[in-house]
Amino acid sequence: GRLVCEYLREYGIPFIAAGRSKDKLDAAMRANVPGIETAEYDVVEVEHGTKTLTDLFKGAKVVINTVGPFARFGVEVVEACLASGCHYTDTTGEQDWLIRLDEEYGEKFADAGLLLSPGIAHMYTTGEIAAQLCLETPGLDTLDIAVFWGGSPTIASTQTILVNAAMSKAYYLQQNQYTEWQLDTGLYSLAIPGQHEAALALPWGGTSHPVWFKRDPRVANVKVLGGVFNKPLMLGVPQIVAAALEATKDLAPDERYAALAQTAAGVMNTMPPRENPRINKSVDSVHASGPLGRAHCVIYGNCNYKQTGLLNAFAASWLLQQPPLRVGFASGCQAFGHHALLGVLRGFGLVQAPVLTVDV
C-alpha cells in the first residue's frame, strides 16, 4: 500500500489513503513514503463494512485494495465499488478469491461498465506479460510458468500464503478445466534461466494465471510454480504449512483462521526492509508450447513489491484518462495490454527487455 501511494505521487494523482486506524496509517505514510509531502492526499479512518466503504468511495473513480487475505476482507470492498461506480484493482495472489470474483461479480461489473481486476502484482502480472509475448506466436496452447524473486514476504503476504495454503484448494488448468494440485509431493526442483544452481518451487496456491487464461481461446493448459531464491526459506515453507494444517485441522473456520494468522505472525511479524535492486531480483520465465511450436520468454527484473505498486498506480492513471480495454473481470494485461504494462515497468527501471526465443 505504501508503494502504491509512492507511485501515485509520482504520477501526480490525488488519492485517499483509507484504513481502520487513521493515526497508524498517517504515521506509516509519513515515515515510509518518500516525497509524500509533495503529494495531494488525505488519510481517512473507516470501518470495514460495505455501507461505510460505499459512502467513502462516492466521488472516486478507482479503488486499489491492498487489504488481505482478500477472501476474508475483500467482499465488502468489491460490493462497495459496485455500489459506488468505481473500478477495482487489488494485489491478491489468492486463487479462490479470483475464481469467486470471476463467477459472482464479473458480469455485474461488466454490466456497470466497470473493471474488476484483482491480482495486479509482480508475481502474476509480470509473468503474464511474458506469457502474452509468447502467445503472439500462433499455435501455442500450453503455458509452463515459473516466477522467482529475491526477498521476504511482508506480514500480510505471509498471512495470505499460510491461510490460503491451509484453507483453499489450488488448481492448474488442464484442457481448459481446473485440475487440483496434489500438494503432498513436496518441493519441485527447477532450472532457472540465468543460473546453474537449481531452484526450489511450489504451486503457490495455484496463482492467478490459470484463472486468467481459462477464458482465453488460445490456451488450454496452464501450470505455474514459484518461489524465492532463499533456499532455507523455501525448505521451511512445507514444514510450516504441514504443522499449521495438523494443529488446526479440528478447529472451526474462524478459530482456524485466527490460529493460522498467529502462526504467520511467528514466521514474519516485521515489515521487510525497503527493497534493494542489487539484492531483490526477480525472474519470470514462460515456456509456451503447441503441437508444432515452442516459445520461451524470460523477464529479468528487480524489486517485486515496487513492481506491484507501480503497476497499480499505472492502472489508476489509465482508468482516470480512458476506459480499460475490457470491462468486467479481467487481468492487468487484458485490461491495459501487455506491451503497455511492460513499457511502464521498463520505463521505471524495474525490468530488462524480455528475452524471447521462438521455434515454430
Side-chain angles (χ1 to χ4, degrees):
R2 298 169 188 174
L3 289 166
V4 171
C5 293
E6 180 178 332
Y7 284 110
L8 289 173
R9 181 197 73 85
E10 295 202 18
Y11 274 100
I13 298 173
F15 64 90
I16 296 171
R20 286 165 286 187
S21 171
K22 183 179 186 299
D23 291 341
K24 289 182 180 179
L25 188 57
D26 193 40
M29 293 278 288
R30 294 180 185 278
N32 295 286
V33 181
I36 193 62
E37 68 278 359
T38 66
E40 183 181 344
Y41 74 100
D42 291 316
V43 176
V44 174
E45 183 171 302
V46 62
E47 293 182 6
H48 190 80
T50 301
K51 184 180 184 308
T52 53
L53 292 171
T54 299
D55 292 340
L56 174 66
F57 295 168
K58 288 178 180 176
K61 193 163 186 177
V62 183
V63 172
I64 302 171
N65 185 16
T66 63
V67 180
F70 294 87
R72 186 172 180 85
F73 298 115
V75 170
E76 294 88 348
V77 185
V78 169
E79 292 184 344
C81 283
L82 192 59
S84 57
C86 289
H87 299 292
Y88 173 94
T89 75
D90 72 28
T91 59
T92 191
E94 301 164 43
Q95 191 182 76
D96 59 326
W97 171 239
L98 273 90
I99 292 172
R100 181 178 180 183
L101 290 184
D102 183 20
E103 295 176 349
E104 295 185 20
Y105 293 97
E107 288 188 12
K108 295 177 182 178
F109 271 73
D111 290 343
L114 298 172
L115 175 65
L116 177 64
S117 189
I120 296 182
H122 158 258
M123 191 176 176
Y124 317 103
T125 305
T126 310
E128 188 196 5
I129 293 170
Q132 294 286 358
L133 290 170
C134 288
L135 291 170
E136 290 180 358
T137 299
L140 308 181
D141 64 3
T142 297
L143 298 174
D144 176 1
I145 302 174
V147 180
F148 276 80
W149 66 99
S152 300
T154 63
I155 299 170
S157 292
T158 304
Q159 285 200 3
T160 296
I161 292 165
L162 186 57
V163 172
N164 196 244
M167 301 185 72
S168 303
K169 294 181 178 180
Y171 299 97
Y172 59 92
L173 200 64
Q174 185 171 19
Q175 294 304 315
N176 210 42
Q177 298 296 319
Y178 289 132
T179 304
E180 187 177 350
W181 277 99
Q182 299 303 309
L183 299 180
D184 56 355
T185 55
L187 292 161
Y188 294 79
S189 181
L190 296 186
I192 299 300
Q195 67 180 50
H196 291 112
E197 184 180 5
L200 300 177
L202 289 166
W204 226 259
T207 82
S208 305
H209 306 88
V211 186
W212 297 137
F213 286 106
K214 192 173 190 298
R215 297 182 184 275
D216 189 322
R218 300 171 297 176
V219 178
N221 310 292
V222 181
K223 272 191 173 181
V224 188
L225 292 169
V228 297
F229 294 116
N230 183 335
K231 273 197 170 181
L233 178 58
M234 286 301 298
L235 287 168
V237 169
Q239 285 80 8
I240 293 168
V241 172
L245 285 170
E246 180 62 27
T248 62
K249 65 181 181 180
D250 297 324
L251 297 178
D254 286 345
E255 294 175 330
R256 193 179 198 198
Y257 173 83
L260 291 169
Q262 186 175 4
T263 300
V267 176
M268 175 63 70
N269 61 4
T270 59
M271 288 294 287
R274 185 173 177 79
E275 291 169 314
N276 181 335
R278 295 178 64 250
I279 299 171
N280 302 117
K281 302 173 184 179
S282 65
V283 176
D284 293 81
S285 174
V286 177
H287 287 281
S289 61
L292 295 174
R294 300 287 186 274
H296 182 211
C297 184
V298 184
I299 299 179
Y300 297 103
N302 60 64
C303 301
N304 55 294
Y305 279 108
K306 287 184 181 180
Q307 291 183 46
T308 299
L310 172 60
L311 289 166
N312 279 274
F314 174 75
S317 177
W318 178 302
L319 293 168
L320 289 172
Q321 297 176 71
Q322 63 179 348
L325 302 178
R326 182 188 300 185
V327 294
F329 182 81
S331 70
C333 290
Q334 292 163 349
F336 308 110
H338 55 286
H339 285 288
L341 296 180
L342 176 62
V344 73
L345 289 173
R346 292 196 65 199
F348 278 79
L350 294 176
V351 303
Q352 293 180 332
V355 180
L356 178 63
T357 58
V358 178
D359 180 12
V360 293

